[in-house]
Amino acid sequence: MLPSMDTTTMLIITLGATLLIYIMKLVIERINYIRIIDRIPGPPAYPIVGDSLDVIKPSNKERFDFFSKRAMTYYPMFRTWRGPWAEVHLMRPEHVEIIASSVRHIDKSFGYKFLHPWLGTGLLTSTGNKWHERRKLLSPTFHFKILEDFVEVFCDKSKILVELLDKKADGNEFDIYPFLTLCALDVICETAMGTPVNAQMESDSQYIKAVYEISKLTIERGIRPWLHPNFIFQRTEFGKKYENCLSILHGFTKKVISERRLLKEQEGTKTPESEDFVAFGQKKRKAFLDLLLDVSSDGKVLSDDDIREEVDTFMFEGHDTTTAGMAWTLFLLGNETEIQEKVFQELDSIFGDSDRSPTMQDLGEMKYLERVIKESLRLYPSVPFIGRQLKEDVKIDKYLIPANTLVLLHIYHLHRCEDQFPNPEVFDPDNFLPERTAKRHPYAYLPFSAGPRNCIGQKFALLEEKTILSSILRKFRIEAVEKQKDIILLSELILRPFSGVRIRMYPRK
């Protein structure tokens, strides 16, 4: 039987009232959220777009300086609005520790989703159970014994680099950054995928061009809220360029994974380590991809897409960050001849007149070079900012930061806290003497992040940088063309110099 008109009307009124109450509840919650966030100092913002209109005004060349000046204006903590999303910026070690050390706040911030089309939800971008499982699964791939095997690759690629640089050691100015990039790409291709690409000898790498382009496009999209929806972004010029880069990057890794899987099938089942030898008694070195395939037979643990996520992640993080770290180290040493000479004296005490490649033991003895690298990463951290999304409310100083708020950890500015690093703009490797390190706040220096989401490949990176830098500095003396005050920093995924690292190079002997 049909309900009476009065019953129908009552139902409509009840549903309408319920919807209205729900909407009012959301509006009140939003107003309260805005009030709480806006108690934190920060630049003016507008409805819907936030402060995005101010952020897109500076050119790519000017943007890092814009962000840095803003950070210093509101130091040590401020808030911005990325469209309708609030973001709180932290620059003090005691503030950063609250977020970075927590097992609750491991979710990467909203902006990382723009990396998902490229890197999927691998170790860098995943969260929750997937992140915990991947971290546990991948940690053994960076075991000391495996890293020791990789030193041979570092040495082989360093030799090629030194031979190429020998042709440039004539006192004429050149940019060393592309040489380091190709060397790092050679290293990561062979260690991560077991596939030589001979990037240094065939330097017109479409892969590197695509990495640079997609990094730039990711930043450009992130600062423009109207490009956040996929439907809009994919129909813009930015989106079309992004898709072209994706096809290059994914095509490369998919091809290598397919070929590597086929090769393993042809070789038969996995042999025990004691039998893992090839001709002439040489031990067969396993690449990162091989180790992933070993635990993923028949797709039971990781599918091909899962493996591609991790390989793409390590390809990006494993060559771009180490390139930047090495380039900044050479730039700083090129400006400080006394420190460069101390590095050479240490290397001379280890190798003497020998031109042999470094061993794992030699790398362990490079204590001063290690301090130099760490100080370079303090001044110019490869990843200058880290984003997280809060899982629950957090109190920092007198301010409440509500759950779901984005938090940006300013690694670049954290490393310049004067009470932690006196004369913070001065290049001083003695900042990392054990007695100085012991006195500092444990979260004052985070070039590889910290806490549960610290960088799984930091030992790999340090060994690679020591190997390559020691090979260069044993053979050449370096002079930087620009001073620190002249350098323009690029605000991209990785901290890069706008004009590269321009140096003059001379033979040691």
Side-chain angles (χ1 to χ4, degrees), residues 63-83:
R63 198 170 290 146
F64 190 91
D65 189 49
F66 169 83
F67 285 137
S68 195
K69 285 178 179 175
R70 173 188 276 182
M72 290 300 96
T73 299
Y74 297 102
Y75 182 89
M77 175 181 175
F78 67 102
R79 61 99 189 102
T80 54
W81 288 94
R82 296 177 62 185

Side-chain angles (χ1 to χ4, degrees), residues 282-325:
Q282 296 282 325
K283 188 176 185 303
K284 185 178 178 182
R285 183 175 56 242
K286 286 195 172 181
F288 173 68
L289 174 55
D290 294 320
L291 297 163
L292 291 178
L293 290 170
D294 283 348
V295 297
S296 308
S297 55
D298 301 323
K300 290 175 184 175
V301 178
L302 297 177
S303 67
D304 274 8
D305 282 340
D306 292 331
I307 293 172
R308 183 194 55 74
E309 287 179 346
E310 301 304 343
V311 171
D312 278 336
T313 297
F314 278 88
M315 285 294 294
F316 163 60
E317 291 203 282
H319 97 270
D320 219 4
T321 53
T322 51
T323 296

Side-chain angles (χ1 to χ4, degrees), residues 67-136:
F67 285 137
S68 195
K69 285 178 179 175
R70 173 188 276 182
M72 290 300 96
T73 299
Y74 297 102
Y75 182 89
M77 175 181 175
F78 67 102
R79 61 99 189 102
T80 54
W81 288 94
R82 296 177 62 185
W85 296 281
E87 187 166 49
V88 175
H89 303 247
L90 305 178
M91 292 168 273
R92 288 287 311 166
E94 59 272 20
H95 297 164
V96 168
E97 180 181 16
I98 294 169
I99 308 303
S101 65
S102 171
V103 294
R104 291 286 296 149
H105 308 304
I106 63 168
D107 287 14
K108 291 301 180 78
S109 69
F110 170 80
Y112 284 77
K113 80 170 192 175
F114 302 131
L115 289 170
H116 287 180
W118 174 20
L119 305 180
T121 49
L123 196 61
L124 174 67
T125 52
S126 60
T127 190
N129 289 335
K130 181 173 182 178
W131 175 80
H132 283 287
E133 289 170 5
R134 289 285 175 92
R135 179 80 184 206
K136 186 177 178 181

